[in-house]
Amino acid sequence: MSRWAVTCPIQTRMAPPPDTIPTPPPVAAPNVAPAPELVVELSGIGHRFGDNQALADLDLTVPTARITVLLGPNGAGKTTAIRVITGALVPMTGRVTTFGLDPDAQGHLVRPRCGVVSAKPALYDRLSGRDNLLYSAELYGLGRDIDDRIDEVAGRFGIADALGDAVGGYSTGMKTRLALARSVLHDPELLLFDEPTSGLDPESSHAVLDLIREMTNEGCTVVMCTHLLAEAEGLADHVVMMEGGTDMISGSPKELTEQFWPHPIVRLQAEDPRLLDRVAGWPGVAAYRRDPAGARLEIDDIGRLPDMIASLVADGVRLTRVEPHEPTLEDLYFTIRRQRGGSTEDPDHHALAPVSPGWAPRHQPVPPVLDIDPSTSASAPDTVWVEDAASSTTASSTTASSTTGSSTTGTPTTASSTAAGQDRT
């Protein structure tokens, strides 16, 4: 035995019997809904047509069994993105997966699982509606013995009675319905619709959108391009706003509106709109804006509204309108476009100004809170805008100039707001 074995013995420690080891209590799984599986993933997609940059660093995801709406002006790159998804166009840069496959290398596995309706569907005018569908069935390898399936999809889209007629005699709405029927003939998993209601009357548009929602409820995944805000409102589960070939913002409509307007919004009107300006400094008012369309305020709790209304009435303010307002995709669209430098030259649109959006400028000037004497005969200013009005410490009192050009000015003070210096990025 060596000297080291004697002077440096190794001591071992016996482990306790297995039945004496305490078992840790089970950890409860967090109550969080699982993220939806993604059917399409586009990452860093870029493509040019000559000198035209059609797509620029586009990131796009499409959750399964949802309606994803690509929203943006003409030329935003929506149609090009659809072509990339199916592999009809191979982008110059970036990575594309559809059903977890590369649509360029494995397009023969991707495209049979897709149904496509372009903005101007290519149909054979000299053939009947039934022959158009039979021809498509042959291309998809369904054979010719599918009359029952053709009758089923034609009935679903309301063209069963016109299947024997030449497509050249179809109206625009009927041609769109035939194209939709053709797109689902082979029972695809992913439907790609480019402006599916273009040229349709309101009744036909409504019917087409109802059919799209119905197909999603049955498990289909839909990607739809549109520049019509009213069309996307209430239909989209997932919105991707595009401009200049890239994505500006994406998410569910509820998530996006809460990001820009986290507080309840209320619209107010009164016989004398100047008297509404006093609420700008009241507790709980996060933002206040008055323009010719009326006053709009954001409050931290909608439960404050009855007391606010009672206080205004007690002060002699004669209200003509009190309306809680849910921000729409139109509000969101114009706000993002304005803050990204896009064109919003719509004189009839008065977009809500967000309190603290991710796209807002870092430092935004805060105009003074106006405390106007109701007895004055001066006209009200067109616009009053106060952000984070509850934190304003002082106010300014002014009187607008009369029609003769004279003006009377009260004692001015400085309005301050902690929101003006907040980091908005």
Side-chain angles (χ1 to χ4, degrees):
M1 181 180 294
S2 69
R3 178 169 60 91
W4 294 106
V6 175
T7 58
C8 301
I10 299 175
Q11 296 182 359
T12 59
R13 188 172 182 179
M14 299 295 294
D19 56 353
T20 63
I21 300 176
T23 303
V27 178
N31 188 20
V32 178
E37 181 183 350
L38 298 179
V39 176
V40 176
E41 291 185 80
L42 274 59
S43 178
I45 299 300
H47 195 80
R48 280 180 173 273
F49 295 105
D51 295 332
N52 179 35
Q53 186 73 46
L55 297 176
D57 197 25
L58 172 66
D59 293 329
L60 170 66
T61 59
V62 176
T64 186
R66 299 287 191 275
I67 297 177
T68 297
V69 174
L70 307 185
L71 190 63
N74 293 328
K78 304 184 298 293
T79 300
T80 307
I82 291 289
R83 296 177 63 193
V84 168
I85 290 174
T86 63
L89 175 68
V90 180
M92 295 177 175
T93 60
R95 178 175 175 270
V96 185
T97 58
T98 305
F99 303 113
L101 305 172
D102 180 354
D104 178 27
Q106 300 169 294
H108 62 289
L109 300 176
V110 170
R111 285 185 281 276
R113 300 168 68 180
C114 300
V116 181
V117 176
S118 61
K120 296 180 179 179
L123 298 168
Y124 295 95
D125 287 349
R126 295 185 179 182
L127 297 181
S128 67
R130 181 177 294 277
D131 287 340
N132 268 269
L133 294 178
L134 280 171
Y135 179 66
S136 297
E138 292 249 20
L139 293 178
Y140 282 113
L142 302 180
R144 298 186 61 87
D145 189 18
I146 58 163
D147 286 339
D148 291 343
R149 175 62 178 167
I150 288 176
D151 292 338
E152 177 187 347
V153 298
R156 182 174 191 175
F157 289 96
I159 56 171
D161 294 338
L163 281 180
D165 300 335
V167 171
Y170 280 20
S171 66
T172 301
M174 290 178 65
K175 287 183 177 180
T176 300
R177 289 170 181 258
L178 178 61
L180 289 168
R182 182 180 63 182
S183 71
V184 302
L185 188 63
H186 56 296
D187 199 19
E189 302 168 54
L190 174 62
L191 297 171
L192 304 164
F193 296 151
D194 189 1
E195 308 282 357
T197 61
S198 177
L200 299 186
D201 60 80
E203 184 177 353
S204 297
S205 296
H206 190 272
V208 167
L209 296 178
D210 282 346
L211 289 168
I212 291 174
R213 169 58 69 186
E214 182 181 320
M215 288 185 289
T216 307
N217 292 338
E218 295 174 358
C220 287
T221 301
V222 175
V223 179
M224 189 178 82
C225 300
T226 185
H227 61 272
L228 302 176
L229 296 166
E231 186 172 277
E233 189 76 49
L235 182 69
D237 300 314
H238 185 75
V239 175
V240 180
M241 290 194 178
M242 296 180 61
E243 184 171 2
T246 192
D247 55 302
M248 295 191 295
I249 195 169
S250 63
S252 71
K254 186 175 187 298
E255 291 170 349
L256 296 180
T257 53
E258 287 181 351
Q259 176 183 343
F260 281 76
W261 297 280
H263 305 295
I265 299 172
V266 180
R267 296 181 182 270
L268 298 176
Q269 285 183 352
E271 291 183 355
D272 187 348
R274 300 170 301 172
L275 302 182
L276 298 173
D277 296 337
R278 66 189 63 205
V279 307
W282 286 3
V285 177
Y288 177 85
R289 176 185 175 93
R290 177 166 60 78
D291 55 32
R296 288 173 288 204
L297 63 150
E298 295 189 38
I299 54 181
D300 59 0
D301 184 359
I302 196 66
R304 292 182 183 268
L305 185 59
D307 291 337
M308 288 182 173
I309 300 306
S311 297
L312 287 171
V313 172
D315 289 345
V317 180
R318 296 175 64 86
L319 296 169
T320 59
R321 179 189 186 191
V322 178
E323 178 188 3
H325 175 70
E326 288 289 337
T328 63
L329 278 180
E330 182 178 13
D331 293 318
L332 184 66
Y333 177 79
F334 277 96
T335 295
I336 294 173
R337 291 264 292 156
R338 181 178 63 246
Q339 294 176 3
R340 286 292 296 266
S343 173
T344 56
E345 298 175 359
D346 184 353
D348 297 325
H349 181 81
H350 304 282
L352 288 173
V355 175
S356 55
W359 298 105
R362 182 177 295 273
H363 299 293
Q364 190 162 350
V366 180
V369 182
L370 299 185
D371 187 7
I372 300 175
D373 184 354
S375 63
T376 182
S377 60
S379 59
D382 287 340
T383 302
V384 176
W385 185 2
V386 177
E387 289 194 69
D388 201 7
S391 65
S392 297
T393 57
T394 56
S396 172
S397 175
T398 62
T399 304
S401 60
S402 65
T403 56
T404 62
S406 63
S407 63
T408 304
T409 304
T411 303
T413 56
T414 302
S416 63
S417 173
T418 58
Q422 287 178 347
D423 188 348
R424 304 292 181 92
T425 58

